[in-house]
């Protein structure tokens, strides 16, 4: 049996091209790119990166809608009255809202970063050194989630409106696991096995995601010995305000099912409502009213209820309408605009989006299999865009000589975290509490480590263990550890301010506009501190 040659450290470190050592011979589309000036190539690659981020926003909007259909799934529960013996059938939601927030919502909004890190790990199979693109993007994404997204959410509520966390116990559990994730990462990088990740460390990292889900569910259900002795705040019955939910019923079936970038194009209509998992009626937040036959029989200009089965011809009609809508450059609202320049601007924007709209029209309608087909199809498209992003990042690093780790926790982290920003902003605007807006941030940060870094490292460590009996070495462990320390320090400053707002104003989000904007600026300064210090460390300045 032929022995497998082990890659050397020189081979690992020789993959980076440093500016000044010659022209970068790598190219994206055609060999002629290498003949262009480095400055012009850099501009083109950054332009391509920005266009990929627009595509991620578009497909994520469709992903949100499919996820909404997944979590709207209900099952029948027979309730027997203890006094009369009468049976009542209720349609109870399959998904617990806490688990949905941590798994579907947090995992979905973090999937661009997770898929990017996984692709980077697969590309590095056979190397003793792990790539820095994935971990850098995920740590940078955590900073973007915690600081800029909090900065946006705190000013989103109307002037004087206060939105607080209703179930503080669940949030504290989520916050604990979010902080522990980064402490754990520092321990395995610097304490147990410095600069090396073993198979067991990677496996334990992934398994802790299951512990997070279990602990959060236990806290939500107030299991003895596993939950904090805190009173469970009741969510308001009107979880999504009626005026917000009504927008969803103002348009035709075809338009509502096929519109993309809804949260960006027009925030006053057809906004992607990923939080209808919390819809409620008089029976509580975990129940959904069974639609009457007359309500379900009016599909002409209403959203079809989930319980209403569609014929195959109806599904094909919806799918065909997606392609028709993708090719339309003007909506009915755009045609009503009197300002010709604003109208042209909207048409230009739609023209820019047309390739993405046409591509994502291949995602099946959301009502098939409770949205699971569209859910999985969206993830596949996100992975494809993430692969292109990794190639563009390699080229930018190659042409400019900028350390890919710096690009990862700045440009890539900001671009791939856009879905997190959209999700939390919608929650802060439309929900009457701050639970999901803030839970999305803390849970996404946990998912970034336990899944986003844990799974790629598990892939690489398992391969190295089987092929070489060697652990996985971290190429820039010192820089990554320093970023973790900076992030942990600044995140403490962020949480302290949220607690202070809770004690003084009674809520984490909103309040007097002046103080909301002061808090927002403070959060943005924390993010700038993280980016600057991490960049200087990687560059060798500090």
């Amino acid at each position: 049996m032929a022995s497998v040659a082990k890659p050397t450290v020189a081979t690992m470190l020789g993959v980076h091209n440093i500016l000044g050592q010659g022209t970068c011979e790598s190219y994206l589309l055609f060999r002629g790119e290498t003949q262009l000036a480095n400055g012009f190539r850099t501009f083109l690659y950054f332009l391509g990166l920005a266009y990929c981020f627009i595509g991620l926003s578009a497909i994520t909007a469709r992903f949100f809608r499919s996820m909404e259909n997944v979590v709207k799934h209900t099952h029948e529960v027979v309730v027997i009255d203890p006094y009369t013996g009468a049976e009542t059938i209720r349609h109870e939601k399959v998904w617990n809202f806490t688990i949905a927030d941590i798994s579907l919502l947090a995992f979905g909004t973090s999937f661009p970063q997770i898929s990017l890190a996984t692709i980077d790990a697969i590309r590095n199979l056979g190397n003793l050194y792990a790539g820095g693109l994935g971990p850098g993007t995920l740590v940078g994404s955590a900073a973007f989630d915690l600081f800029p997204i909090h900065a946006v959410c705190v000013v989103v509520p109307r002037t004087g409106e206060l939105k607080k966390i209703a179930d503080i116990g669940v949030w504290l559990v989520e916050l604990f696991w979010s902080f522990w994730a980064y402490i754990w990462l520092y321990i395995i990088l610097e304490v147990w096995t410095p600069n090396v990740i073993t198979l067991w460390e990677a496996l334990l990292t992934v398994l802790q995601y299951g512990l997070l889900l279990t602990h959060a569910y236990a806290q939500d259900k107030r299991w003895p010995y596993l939950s904090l002795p805190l009173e469970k705040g009741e969510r308001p019955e009107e979880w999504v305000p009626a005026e917000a939910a009504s927008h969803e019923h103002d348009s035709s079936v075809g338009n509502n099912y096929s519109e993309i970038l809804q949260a960006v194009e027009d925030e006053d209509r057809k906004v992607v409502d990923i939080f209808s998992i919390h819809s409620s009626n008089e029976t509580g937040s975990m129940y959904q009213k069974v639609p009457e036959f007359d309500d379900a029989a009016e599909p002409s200009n209403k959203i079809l209820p989930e319980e209403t089965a569609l014929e195959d011809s109806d599904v094909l009609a919806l799918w065909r309408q997606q392609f028709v809508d993708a090719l339309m450059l003007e909506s009915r609202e755009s045609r009503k605009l009197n300002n010709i320049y604003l109208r042209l601007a909207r048409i230009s924007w739609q023209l820019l989006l047309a390739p993405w709209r046409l591509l994502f029209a291949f995602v099946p309608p959301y009502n098939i299999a409770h949205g699971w087909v569209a859910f999985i199809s969206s993830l596949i498209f996100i992975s494809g865009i993430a692969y292109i992003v990794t190639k563009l990042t390699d080229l930018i690093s190659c042409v400019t000589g900028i350390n890919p780790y710096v690009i990862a926790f700045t440009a890539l982290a900001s671009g791939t975290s856009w879905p997190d920003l959209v999700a939390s902003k919608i929650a802060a605007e439309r929900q009457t509490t701050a639970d999901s807006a803030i839970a999305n941030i803390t849970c996404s940060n946990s998912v970034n480590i336990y899944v986003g870094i844990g799974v790629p490292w598990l892939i690489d460590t398992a391969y190295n263990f089987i092929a070489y009996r060697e652990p996985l070495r971290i190429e820039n462990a010192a820089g990554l550890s320093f970023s973790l320390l900076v992030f942990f320090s600044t995140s403490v400053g962020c949480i302290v301010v949220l607690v202070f707002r809770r004690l003084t104003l009674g809520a984490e989000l909103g309040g007097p506009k002046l103080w909301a904007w002061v808090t927002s600026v403070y959060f943005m300064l924390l993010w700038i501190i993280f980016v600057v210090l991490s960049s200087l460390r990687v560059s060798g300045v500090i």
Side-chain angles (χ1 to χ4, degrees):
M1 181 176 177
S3 61
V4 180
K6 295 184 180 180
T8 63
V9 175
T11 304
M12 301 302 103
L13 300 179
V15 298
H16 297 297
N17 181 286
I18 305 299
L19 188 65
Q21 293 182 350
T23 304
C24 178
E25 296 299 329
S26 301
Y27 57 90
L28 181 65
L29 299 177
F30 53 91
R31 189 174 297 276
E33 291 176 23
T34 59
Q35 305 303 317
L36 301 174
N38 282 350
F40 186 60
R41 290 180 67 186
T42 303
F43 170 75
L44 291 178
Y45 295 146
F46 269 113
L47 202 62
L49 204 60
Y51 196 62
C52 285
F53 292 153
I54 293 175
L56 280 176
S57 299
I59 189 58
T60 302
R62 298 186 69 81
F63 171 82
F64 285 162
R65 186 68 80 178
S66 64
M67 184 174 67
E68 178 189 17
N69 272 33
V70 170
V71 296
K72 280 165 56 178
H73 186 203
T74 61
H75 68 279
E76 290 186 354
V77 176
V78 179
V79 180
I80 301 177
D81 190 298
Y83 300 104
T84 64
E87 294 186 355
T88 303
I89 297 178
R90 290 177 178 171
H91 281 221
E92 185 177 351
K93 295 213 179 266
V94 174
W95 285 88
N96 171 273
F97 69 81
T98 297
I99 298 300
D101 281 344
I102 299 175
S103 56
L104 291 180
L105 177 58
F107 180 80
T109 54
S110 298
F111 194 76
Q113 302 97 298
I114 294 172
S115 56
L116 188 149
T118 304
I119 291 170
D120 187 46
I122 294 174
R123 293 190 311 163
N124 279 281
L125 282 178
N127 295 342
L128 293 181
Y129 277 81
L133 193 62
T137 301
L138 288 159
V139 174
S141 174
F144 188 90
D145 286 353
L146 194 63
F147 305 129
I149 295 182
H150 266 124
V152 171
C153 289
V154 77
V155 297
V156 159
R158 293 188 295 270
T159 302
E161 185 180 14
L162 292 170
K163 296 188 177 184
K164 69 177 183 178
I165 300 172
D167 196 338
I168 196 70
V170 170
W171 178 69
L172 287 175
V173 169
E174 295 167 347
L175 186 65
F176 164 77
W177 284 99
S178 175
F179 271 88
W180 168 249
Y182 294 91
I183 296 173
W184 165 257
L185 192 59
Y186 184 84
I187 290 174
I188 63 178
L189 282 173
E190 295 292 336
V191 180
W192 283 357
T193 53
N195 304 332
V196 167
I197 300 297
T198 65
L199 176 61
W200 295 111
E201 288 172 338
L203 184 60
L204 286 174
T205 302
V206 176
L207 291 178
Q208 287 181 74
Y209 181 60
L211 294 179
L212 162 62
L213 290 171
T214 303
H215 193 184
Y217 185 78
Q219 181 64 40
D220 178 63
K221 297 300 183 180
R222 295 305 191 267
W223 288 354
Y225 308 112
L226 292 179
S227 61
L228 298 173
L230 296 173
E231 183 180 355
K232 183 177 182 179
E234 290 297 327
R235 305 282 180 104
E237 290 195 7
E238 293 296 330
W239 185 251
V240 178
E243 62 272 16
S246 65
H247 288 299
E248 201 171 348
H249 301 278
D250 292 339
S251 57
S252 66
V253 175
N255 286 338
N256 208 313
Y257 271 121
S258 59
E259 191 69 33
I260 64 174
L261 271 180
Q262 296 164 21
V264 178
E265 291 177 3
D266 192 341
E267 294 182 356
D268 293 328
R269 66 178 184 89
K270 296 185 296 182
V271 173
V272 181
D273 180 16
I274 60 177
F275 302 98
S276 62
I277 56 177
H278 306 297
S279 63
S280 60
N281 56 18
E282 67 278 1
T283 60
S285 61
M286 291 307 297
Y287 294 90
Q288 182 180 24
K289 182 180 178 181
V290 181
E292 300 293 338
F293 177 78
D294 292 336
D295 294 334
E298 298 180 359
S300 57
N301 60 353
K302 305 278 187 184
I303 293 299
L304 293 175
E306 180 208 13
E307 292 82 0
T308 303
L310 294 180
E311 300 292 338
D312 291 342
S313 58
D314 296 328
V315 172
L316 292 176
L318 288 175
W319 207 340
R320 182 172 60 251
Q321 186 63 37
Q322 292 183 172
F323 288 94
V324 173
D325 292 342
L327 297 174
M328 291 179 60
L329 297 182
E330 273 197 290
S331 62
R332 286 174 298 178
E333 288 74 14
S334 180
R335 296 190 190 100
K336 296 177 183 178
L337 292 175
N338 295 324
N339 190 322
I340 185 63
Y341 299 106
L342 183 58
R343 188 174 175 182
L344 286 175
R346 290 180 66 95
I347 293 175
S348 300
W349 175 246
Q350 296 296 332
L351 189 62
L352 181 67
L353 293 177
W356 290 125
R357 292 167 63 96
L358 184 60
L359 178 63
F360 300 148
F362 286 95
V363 175
Y366 312 103
N367 56 308
I368 300 176
H370 302 296
W372 279 109
V373 177
F375 184 91
I376 296 172
S377 299
S378 299
L379 294 183
I380 293 173
F381 276 107
I382 290 174
S383 298
I385 297 175
Y387 176 76
I388 299 174
V389 167
T390 59
K391 300 295 289 185
L392 286 170
T393 304
D394 288 342
L395 287 169
I396 292 173
S397 177
C398 181
V399 172
T400 63
I402 299 175
N403 191 303
Y405 184 75
V406 176
I407 301 174
F409 66 71
T410 52
L412 291 189
S414 303
T416 55
S417 295
W418 179 256
D420 288 310
L421 176 61
V422 173
S424 291
K425 180 177 179 291
I426 292 173
E429 283 177 328
R430 304 245 167 187
Q431 291 190 356
T432 53
T433 70
D435 290 76
S436 285
I438 295 180
N440 178 50
I441 297 171
T442 52
C443 294
S444 292
N445 285 353
S446 299
V447 171
N448 283 345
I449 298 300
Y450 299 134
V451 180
I453 291 181
V455 170
W457 279 358
L458 184 60
I459 294 172
D460 280 343
T461 54
Y463 183 90
N464 286 357
F465 179 79
I466 295 172
Y468 312 124
R469 300 297 183 193
E470 293 283 347
L472 180 67
R473 305 182 189 278
I474 307 302
E475 185 175 339
N476 193 18
L480 184 59
S481 299
F482 181 82
S483 295
L484 288 172
L485 289 176
V486 175
F487 172 75
F488 188 84
S489 302
T490 50
S491 61
V492 170
C494 175
I495 300 303
V496 166
V497 169
L498 289 177
V499 173
F500 179 76
R501 286 177 56 87
R502 174 93 176 196
L503 295 176
T504 56
L505 299 177
E508 291 78 13
L509 305 181
K513 274 300 178 186
L514 175 60
W515 292 113
W517 278 106
V518 168
T519 306
S520 179
V521 171
Y522 170 74
F523 288 156
M524 290 303 298
L525 285 176
L526 290 178
W527 183 62
I528 293 173
I529 290 172
F530 168 81
V531 170
V532 170
L533 291 180
S534 297
S535 299
L536 292 176
R537 173 66 175 181
V538 171
S539 303
V541 177
I542 57 176

